[in-house]
Amino acid sequence: MPAKEASADDRIRQEKVKDIFIVLGNAVSAFRLYPSENPTVRNFISDLFERLSEYLDEYGELEVGIEEQAFTLEGRTILQDPNPVRSLPFFFFKDGMKTLEFHRGLQKSELDGFLEVIREVSQLPPEEGDIVNAMWELDFPNVRHVAPDDFLETKIGLARRVLRPELDVSSLSQGRIELAPEDLEEIRKSVLTLEKSKAGEGAVADPTFLEDIDKTLAKTSDREMVEIEALLAANRQLSQDEEYLSLILEIIYLEDRPEQFPAIADILEQYHQDALQKREFRRAAKLLRALSEIKELYATKNKLKSDLIESVISLVTRQSQLVDLREALDPNSISDSKGLFDYLLFFGSRSTGLVADIYEHATSQEYRRKALEILKEIGKTDIHKLMALVQESRPELSQEIIRLLSENADVRILNFLANIVAYKNPQVKLAAIQALGRIQDEAANKVLLGFLADANEEVRLGALDNMKKVADRQVLGRIIEAIKDKDFAKKSGREKKALFGVLGRSDSEEACSFLAEILGKVPFLPNPKHTELCLYSIGALEKMELASSREVLKLGAKRRHRKIRSACLAAIKTKSEIAVTYTGRTPR
Amino acid sequence: MNPPIEAPSQPAQLKALHQLAVEMVVRLNVILKSARIYASNNILFQHQVATFFELIQKGLNEAGKAAFTMRAGTLFFNNIRLKYGFANYHFFKFVQEEFRKAQLGGLRFDKEVTEKDLQILMTVLAKGDHEAGQPFEVLASEAAGQGLKHIHLEKLAPSDLAPKPEKSSVKIFFLGLTHLEEAFTGKSRDEKIRLGTTRRLMQSIFNSISDNESFVQGLTNIKNFHEYTLNHSMNVCILSIALGRRLGLDRNELVDLGISAFFHDFGKLDTPKEILEKPGKLDDQERRIIEKHPFQGAGKLIQSIDLKNLPLHAIHVAMEHHVKEDFTGYPRYFKKQSINLFSKIVKIADFFDAITTKRVYRTSHFTRDEALTLMLAQSGKEFHPVLLREFVKMMGVYPVGTLVALDTGELGLVVETNPEKVYLLRPRVKLITDTAGNKRDGATVDLSAVDAGDQHYSRSIVKVLDPQKYGINVADYFLARAV
């Protein structure tokens, strides 16, 4: 329809609308480039809102027509934009919008929402974005649009004729309908009843029928309304991801066509990837757990299906998943740590590297504890994987691994612990030493010997203290040699004491003889070093349970050296007290 | 120029006004119905008007202005969009329908409005001639003639005036069928179905139902057109959206529900045609095959549609639409212990449409009212009882499309139910024969109309008939309205 000649008022109005749409275009451009809090964006929106509000206050509503390259007002072009890439008219036009309306009462939040939806849609691929869809769903009260259904005709039925029945309307008025006798008879009876009722002679219809209607079509009760509201609420609170997984698993459970499994595997893989990308490990773990269950279920019933499910599990838990996860995961920002660790359990020993990384880099004690739990589990089936984690570069983890390995005092780890002698980190060595101490095996004592040459005194001390009940002559011989060595004097008091302590704990006659020899030697001149040795020997003898140790002490108690003599007496007394404690009798 | 009406900015103020407006809509609903029954000097009618007047006064005092507007099928009061829930759905539906029929786009009440003004308005509205070519003009003229001063009537915006909504609805129906056919048959394995078009289609169906629910329900009398599964899916889609709307689902939910219903039988693509169309009873193996279509359909949907656009509910519905309320039926789940709400809704619509459709393997079928009776007998076991009851209430005692014999000897087709309890047995009916049985393109009559002379109902239903028995294709009468 041709536009009529514009009056002066019309021209003013058109100018206002044009300005509004120029500002709208600027706002949209800014919105597409910057975040919504950006000052430039906010300024454009404020300006636009002000102009629109002013216009709507004056005119009540603003309705513009949308053409392929232009906005129009009452048939007149007010703004043209031929560029199809950024053109705002085309953006609306391509999805079938014919008019865009703003109404009095427009709120700023609505305008924000409108611009936001334009931004979101314009960021989607053309075949996915649909501004009409988006606006319809958001249903702004004061920003309306008209998009006639004809648009659907451009999308549907392109390759074929739109289905439509042929109808001869005139046939509806031609001919007669002859009712069957049985129907006529029933009609006759009903009409009779009705006439009687009109005349006040009876009920209109069967009372049971009316009662049923009453009951069935009665107003919805409060209880029923509450039930409906509850159904709606529950539906709205469904976890999309959980439900989706639940459905997929049911499909797997029911599906018996082997050729469908590759497609199902792809879907599960996508689901799995999505869960990992969103760091929703609980979901991923749930998937694997359920698949394992279904696999077990079919293991005897349908081996082929069980194998197919196993192949799905293998696809989903392939090694490269761990590699990717390892690269992408920040151990200090895991929101679903329980889920993560549950998930990693499914990978078994293949996850040791990632778990080790988590332990190393996580600051949360909770995460570290959980990581160790997993490693412990892994260690139960693959001890070598754990051993491989013990490295110089990971001192903290290495200590923990060693501790884990030693918890079961498994002699298999002896060779492994022996290698730690060569490590530089003293803490790791001490962990190994403690582990050896827990094993309480002669072989462990031999390995501990290796630490006696360590440069670090704490390491040496640790090794000595962890040599329990030494009986091996080679080990004892080494200890005795160390005491006899000229460098013994240079050792600290603690270390000297520790060396003698080993002899004391050995409870061996050979050790006892050696100690007796020291105690029995009386130097010609006072010799502090010798006195020191005697005192250490006395300490060791005190620890011994051998009867001969008491004898040696008795001999020592006769020494003229007061210190030695007192020490021996004290040692004897201690031994007696211990004996009474043990036997309840005072020893002779 | 009318001064602008500012929408209230404070949330509490907004809420209070919204509540007041909803109360007014409820009152308006009652008054208009009273006005149809009672004369203007009737005490009950006047009491209703007085109550409404008080509400208007309250609105005027609190907000300075009081105006109802209707835009794109939505009611506003002082530019506040009025939202309805399940509890007051009927009132809104009725008032919106009245506005639409009268082409009324707005009612603006001046401060000086009186009870007399309201009485005039209600009487004129209730007795308006909706069949007139320009109903609004007739209404406005009548109102002015009776001296209506302080209430201003506004016509619906041109964009809200569909030239013939029936035409649009029919077009949408068949576009839907075509779209389904494209989805069911036209796609190669690698080509995903783009749901953007499907969503637009659902929006159009929603708009159609909002504009003229009875007519759109009438279109579900189209059966076995072209391909049973396609036609059936379209009918189920319409019935599901209508029921969902009634229950209070919002727009997005209704679109998702529509999509879910649309594709609920997608799995039948993999069911051999000879089984689907076998005339006799299925043997055990054939039954096992057909019982796979739910989970196969669900799997197919996941493969055929872009996952980020596929509503989750569509998978639920495809999977569960044959699972009964007591968890029997098929398929039998491994772990899952709940049935989705949308599945329950679609199940009802699916069952209803299926048993009211004549099929080669069925020796008998049911008329629409018989179907509802049968379904009610299965309430609790097969269907969720509350949802089923709402469906039955939606369809009415005489569902749209029911062929009825009247006490006058005429035959008619129900074109609109009457939700009022007192008029449950008195729908609006299109006369398709005269008293002698000659077919004609008769008027649409309201069976609640009373003869002015003897004060008895002019026409009453005396029997429901089976249209198939008389070779009557009910759908034709609805399609004819779109010509």
Side-chain angles (χ1 to χ4, degrees):
Chain A
M1 187 161 67
K4 59 183 195 308
E5 183 88 11
S7 65
D9 282 344
D10 285 345
R11 278 197 289 277
I12 293 169
R13 200 164 142 231
Q14 281 161 26
E15 278 306 306
K16 285 182 181 176
V17 173
K18 180 179 177 179
D19 288 342
I20 286 171
F21 274 82
I22 288 172
V23 176
L24 174 63
N26 291 338
V28 166
S29 300
F31 228 86
R32 280 173 177 161
L33 289 171
Y34 307 114
S36 45
E37 318 81 48
N38 180 282
T40 307
V41 172
R42 298 318 313 166
N43 285 340
F44 275 130
I45 293 174
S46 295
D47 186 14
L48 178 63
F49 182 68
E50 213 175 290
R51 286 172 192 265
L52 264 171
S53 300
E54 224 175 86
Y55 184 93
L56 293 172
D57 280 348
E58 192 176 345
Y59 297 102
E61 65 176 29
L62 168 56
E63 182 183 310
V64 293
I66 296 169
E67 294 178 358
E68 193 169 347
Q69 294 175 358
F71 290 118
T72 64
L73 183 69
E74 289 167 354
R76 270 196 194 78
T77 300
I78 46 151
L79 191 69
Q80 213 157 2
D81 188 347
N83 185 327
V85 175
R86 58 171 176 75
S87 161
L88 201 53
F90 184 71
F91 175 75
F92 294 116
F93 179 82
K94 68 169 177 43
D95 293 327
M97 199 185 288
K98 287 288 189 296
T99 62
L100 179 62
E101 303 165 16
F102 297 94
H103 292 269
R104 190 181 279 154
L106 176 74
Q107 305 286 310
K108 198 146 187 235
S109 54
E110 269 183 275
L111 194 59
D112 267 341
F114 174 58
L115 290 166
E116 186 61 50
V117 78
I118 293 175
R119 188 221 320 248
E120 282 172 9
V121 171
S122 56
Q123 284 172 351
L124 292 170
E127 63 275 11
E128 277 181 37
D130 187 328
I131 186 65
V132 169
N133 256 343
M135 282 182 66
W136 187 91
E137 286 175 7
L138 288 167
D139 194 25
F140 298 116
N142 299 298
V143 183
R144 314 295 292 180
H145 66 278
V146 173
D149 293 329
D150 324 37
F151 178 73
L152 281 168
E153 287 172 322
T154 66
K155 300 283 182 187
I156 297 172
L158 299 178
R160 65 194 74 219
R161 198 170 55 89
V162 173
L163 300 167
R164 190 72 183 244
E166 299 292 331
L167 175 65
D168 176 13
V169 178
S170 61
S171 68
L172 301 178
S173 316
Q174 291 165 4
R176 258 176 72 83
I177 297 173
E178 294 275 1
L179 295 180
E182 63 275 14
D183 287 336
L184 279 171
E185 179 57 25
E186 281 190 41
I187 289 168
R188 192 190 64 77
K189 282 180 185 163
S190 298
V191 170
L192 209 59
T193 310
L194 191 60
E195 277 166 8
K196 277 185 183 171
S197 136
K198 280 183 186 175
E201 292 168 20
V204 172
D206 172 11
T208 316
F209 173 62
L210 288 175
E211 219 174 273
D212 282 345
I213 290 174
D214 240 9
K215 205 173 82 177
T216 308
L217 302 184
K219 190 170 168 266
T220 310
S221 68
D222 289 342
R223 184 195 63 78
E224 285 173 324
M225 276 207 237
V226 166
E227 194 169 343
I228 290 174
E229 293 296 330
L231 284 170
L232 294 179
N235 190 57
R236 286 165 185 155
Q237 283 159 19
L238 284 178
S239 159
Q240 297 280 310
D241 293 324
E242 299 273 342
E243 284 295 308
Y244 181 69
L245 177 62
S246 166
L247 285 166
I248 297 282
L249 291 170
E250 294 294 344
I251 291 172
I252 291 176
Y253 169 70
L254 293 161
E255 185 60 75
D256 56 4
R257 296 171 295 177
E259 66 275 15
Q260 290 295 317
F261 272 79
I264 293 174
D266 282 345
I267 290 162
L268 286 173
E269 172 63 5
Q270 277 176 49
Y271 179 86
H272 179 244
Q273 285 302 326
D274 180 71
L276 292 186
Q277 268 166 26
K278 289 179 184 165
R279 303 287 180 255
E280 291 169 7
F281 300 106
R282 194 176 55 84
R283 272 204 288 141
K286 192 173 171 182
L287 166 66
L288 293 175
R289 199 176 308 122
L291 283 175
S292 303
E293 268 185 62
I294 298 173
K295 187 192 86 164
E296 286 311 309
L297 190 70
Y298 279 99
T300 46
K301 283 201 297 189
N302 185 334
K303 183 83 177 42
L304 173 63
K305 184 161 174 176
S306 181
D307 290 344
L308 284 166
I309 294 172
E310 174 58 43
S311 66
V312 172
I313 295 174
S314 299
L315 170 71
V316 166
T317 59
R318 61 191 182 279
Q319 186 63 29
S320 57
Q321 292 283 24
L322 281 174
V323 171
D324 293 341
L325 192 58
R326 200 168 171 177
E327 279 167 15
L329 192 65
D330 174 5
N332 289 309
S333 64
I334 305 168
S335 57
D336 181 18
S337 62
K338 183 173 184 323
L340 171 62
F341 292 114
D342 283 347
Y343 172 69
L344 290 175
L345 274 171
F346 282 96
F347 287 82
S349 59
R350 290 181 294 151
S351 69
T352 44
L354 177 53
V355 177
D357 278 352
I358 291 172
Y359 182 89
E360 283 283 285
H361 296 111
T363 50
S364 158
Q365 290 308 311
E366 165 90 10
Y367 291 179
R368 296 179 125 207
R369 188 183 57 77
K370 284 188 170 146
L372 286 178
E373 278 172 18
I374 292 191
L375 291 174
K376 188 174 174 178
E377 278 305 308
I378 291 168
K380 286 178 185 172
T381 51
D382 191 343
I383 203 170
H384 298 286
K385 277 280 182 182
L386 280 197
M387 289 180 190
L389 290 176
V390 177
Q391 294 163 16
E392 283 272 30
S393 55
R394 291 176 161 170
E396 264 192 76
L397 178 64
S398 298
Q399 288 173 68
E400 291 294 342
I401 297 288
I402 292 167
R403 185 184 57 74
L404 279 178
L405 288 169
S406 70
E407 268 176 9
N408 294 327
D410 191 332
V411 297
R412 285 185 293 164
I413 65 171
L414 278 177
N415 284 341
F416 157 70
L417 290 173
N419 293 332
I420 296 173
V421 172
Y423 276 40
K424 291 190 177 59
N425 187 302
Q427 298 305 318
V428 176
K429 290 192 222 185
L430 280 169
I433 286 165
Q434 276 163 17
L436 288 162
R438 259 180 241 122
I439 291 171
Q440 295 203 18
D441 183 84
E442 285 298 344
N445 288 334
K446 282 186 181 159
V447 174
L448 281 167
L449 275 180
F451 290 96
L452 294 186
D454 200 275
N456 185 304
E457 185 185 63
E458 290 303 317
V459 171
R460 296 195 302 270
L461 277 170
L464 288 167
D465 288 342
N466 277 280
M467 283 184 197
K468 312 275 164 55
K469 210 95 175 134
V470 177
D472 186 272
R473 295 191 68 190
Q474 186 191 358
V475 175
L476 279 173
R478 284 283 306 278
I479 299 294
I480 291 170
E481 263 178 46
I483 292 172
K484 284 180 179 175
D485 192 87
K486 62 176 169 23
D487 286 334
F488 178 82
K490 293 178 192 165
K491 291 185 189 300
S492 70
R494 286 172 64 211
E495 194 171 348
K496 289 172 181 172
K497 190 176 175 185
L499 279 163
F500 276 90
V502 175
L503 295 179
R505 287 193 298 276
S506 71
D507 235 19
S508 93
E509 290 293 350
E510 189 182 338
C512 189
S513 300
F514 175 69
L515 294 170
E517 199 183 312
I518 295 172
L519 207 53
K521 202 181 271 186
V522 180
F524 184 69
L525 290 168
N527 186 335
K529 281 187 186 165
H530 175 74
T531 305
E532 187 189 46
L533 275 179
C534 288
L535 289 172
Y536 286 136
S537 297
I538 291 164
L541 287 163
E542 186 184 320
K543 293 280 184 284
M544 281 184 171
E545 290 174 14
L546 286 174
S548 49
S549 64
R550 180 181 272 276
E551 295 306 316
V552 173
L553 283 170
K554 278 182 182 170
L555 280 172
K558 292 175 182 165
R559 286 281 300 269
R560 286 174 62 187
H561 194 295
R562 186 176 56 79
K563 255 191 185 171
I564 292 172
R565 190 171 63 245
S566 306
C568 284
L569 286 168
I572 291 166
K573 189 176 177 212
T574 306
K575 274 170 114 53
S576 305
E577 282 166 1
I578 291 170
V580 166
T581 306
Y582 285 144
T583 64
R585 294 198 304 265
T586 311
R588 281 185 289 139
Chain B
M1 184 71 63
N2 288 321
I5 294 175
E6 295 295 329
S9 52
Q10 301 304 319
Q13 191 187 5
L14 200 90
K15 197 174 170 183
L17 259 180
H18 185 275
Q19 209 151 326
L20 178 68
V22 168
E23 228 179 300
M24 284 188 212
V25 169
V26 172
R27 198 55 53 186
L28 195 52
N29 162 78
V30 172
I31 297 174
L32 285 172
K33 286 174 181 172
S34 304
R36 287 210 167 105
I37 305 169
Y38 305 115
S40 56
N41 60 2
N42 178 279
I43 288 176
L44 192 64
F45 172 70
Q46 287 183 350
H47 171 72
Q48 296 289 349
V49 169
T51 311
F52 188 74
F53 178 72
E54 274 172 29
L55 292 172
I56 290 288
Q57 286 301 312
K58 200 173 172 190
L60 285 166
N61 290 337
E62 283 178 16
K65 295 287 172 192
F68 280 100
T69 41
M70 195 156 89
R71 286 201 297 272
T74 304
L75 263 178
F76 293 76
F77 179 75
N78 288 359
N79 281 322
I80 305 167
R81 182 174 46 204
L82 300 182
K83 295 186 180 179
Y84 55 82
F86 173 68
N88 46 35
Y89 167 82
H90 302 298
F91 307 120
F92 273 80
K93 188 184 165 206
F94 177 80
V95 169
Q96 281 168 324
E97 223 11 59
E98 290 299 306
F99 270 53
R100 196 190 61 79
K101 285 180 195 169
Q103 292 184 351
L104 191 57
L107 286 174
R108 186 182 284 266
F109 302 88
D110 283 350
K111 276 199 171 105
E112 298 81 17
V113 66
T114 61
E115 277 190 43
K116 177 95 178 107
D117 285 325
L118 286 175
Q119 284 179 17
I120 295 170
L121 173 70
M122 298 307 162
T123 312
V124 158
L125 263 176
K127 307 222 191 293
D129 181 4
H130 299 146
E131 307 286 326
Q134 293 179 306
F136 175 78
E137 283 72 12
V138 168
L139 179 79
S141 166
E142 185 64 31
Q146 292 204 28
L148 184 66
K149 281 198 175 84
H150 303 295
I151 303 176
H152 307 280
L153 311 182
E154 289 161 18
K155 192 173 179 179
L156 265 181
S159 53
D160 283 331
L161 289 169
K164 208 171 184 182
E166 290 87 356
K167 203 166 178 169
S168 174
S169 298
V170 167
K171 184 161 71 170
I172 295 301
F173 185 94
F174 288 103
L175 277 173
L177 276 186
T178 311
H179 184 53
L180 258 175
E181 189 181 46
E182 287 171 344
F184 269 56
T185 61
K187 296 294 172 185
S188 68
R189 190 178 159 70
D190 295 330
E191 199 182 342
K192 299 251 181 196
I193 297 169
R194 300 230 178 265
L195 277 189
T197 305
T198 318
R199 295 196 88 85
R200 286 291 285 267
L201 185 67
M202 294 304 128
Q203 291 167 15
S204 296
I205 293 172
F206 171 90
N207 291 338
S208 277
I209 291 173
S210 298
D211 285 342
N212 195 351
E213 185 174 334
S214 299
F215 178 77
V216 177
Q217 273 191 30
L219 291 180
T220 65
N221 284 282
I222 299 171
K223 307 280 196 183
N224 286 315
F225 173 70
H226 184 64
E227 168 83 46
Y228 167 75
T229 304
L230 303 181
N231 195 159
H232 166 70
S233 296
M234 193 64 204
N235 290 347
V236 171
C237 176
I238 289 170
L239 292 170
S240 299
I241 291 178
L243 178 57
R245 187 165 165 260
R246 193 183 174 85
L247 293 171
L249 293 177
D250 66 32
R251 291 185 149 214
N252 295 343
E253 289 169 329
L254 287 169
V255 165
D256 282 355
L257 174 60
I259 292 173
S260 305
F262 208 57
F263 291 117
H264 78 280
D265 267 342
F266 207 47
K268 286 190 175 169
L269 273 178
D270 289 347
T271 309
K273 236 182 163 74
E274 47 279 13
I275 293 179
L276 283 176
E277 292 171 4
K278 182 180 174 184
K281 202 172 169 210
L282 298 175
D283 63 31
D284 286 345
Q285 194 191 3
E286 287 164 341
R287 177 138 297 279
R288 270 196 297 274
I289 290 171
I290 211 168
E291 286 181 2
K292 288 182 183 179
H293 85 267
F295 77 80
Q296 287 178 349
K300 214 170 177 62
L301 275 176
I302 293 167
Q303 291 173 51
S304 307
I305 297 175
D306 235 331
L307 270 180
K308 61 180 181 289
N309 294 323
L310 174 68
L312 176 70
H313 294 108
I315 312 174
H316 274 123
V317 169
M319 192 82 154
E320 295 172 347
H321 66 280
H322 284 292
V323 179
K324 298 184 185 184
E325 186 64 20
D326 64 0
F327 238 73
T328 58
Y330 59 93
R332 295 296 177 100
Y333 277 147
F334 170 50
K335 282 221 165 191
K336 209 166 171 301
Q337 290 176 354
S338 62
I339 307 166
N340 186 263
L341 169 63
F342 284 20
S343 304
K344 295 177 197 250
I345 292 172
V346 171
K347 180 175 181 52
I348 290 170
D350 178 38
F351 191 93
F352 177 80
D353 188 71
I355 62 167
T356 53
T357 306
K358 191 169 178 174
R359 302 287 286 138
V360 287
Y361 48 75
R362 208 178 275 135
T363 49
S364 64
H365 70 280
F366 297 86
T367 58
R368 288 158 93 85
D369 60 307
E370 286 168 345
L372 295 177
T373 306
L374 175 71
M375 290 170 75
L376 280 168
Q378 298 293 318
S379 176
K381 189 177 180 324
E382 176 111 29
F383 309 105
H384 188 284
V386 176
L387 297 180
L388 178 63
R389 214 163 82 72
E390 290 309 314
F391 180 77
V392 171
K393 281 158 67 180
M394 180 179 85
M395 301 306 279
V397 178
Y398 303 112
V400 172
T402 303
L403 178 66
V404 293
L406 303 175
D407 59 342
T408 53
E410 296 157 307
L411 296 186
L413 276 179
V414 174
V415 292
E416 193 173 347
T417 57
N418 198 325
E420 284 299 305
K421 194 173 168 184
V422 69
Y423 295 128
L424 287 174
L425 302 177
R426 302 203 159 273
R428 293 182 76 227
V429 161
K430 177 180 170 59
L431 301 172
I432 64 168
T433 72
D434 61 19
T435 55
N438 299 305
K439 287 165 80 173
R440 65 177 175 122
D441 182 13
T444 300
V445 295
D446 190 333
L447 298 191
S448 64
V450 164
D451 187 281
D454 61 11
Q455 290 299 302
H456 286 132
Y457 291 112
S458 306
R459 292 176 174 85
S460 299
I461 295 172
V462 290
K463 185 166 170 52
V464 171
L465 298 169
D466 179 1
Q468 305 258 353
K469 193 172 170 182
Y470 296 103
I472 296 172
N473 187 357
V474 170
D476 284 348
Y477 290 88
F478 290 92
L479 291 171
R481 281 166 65 178
V483 167

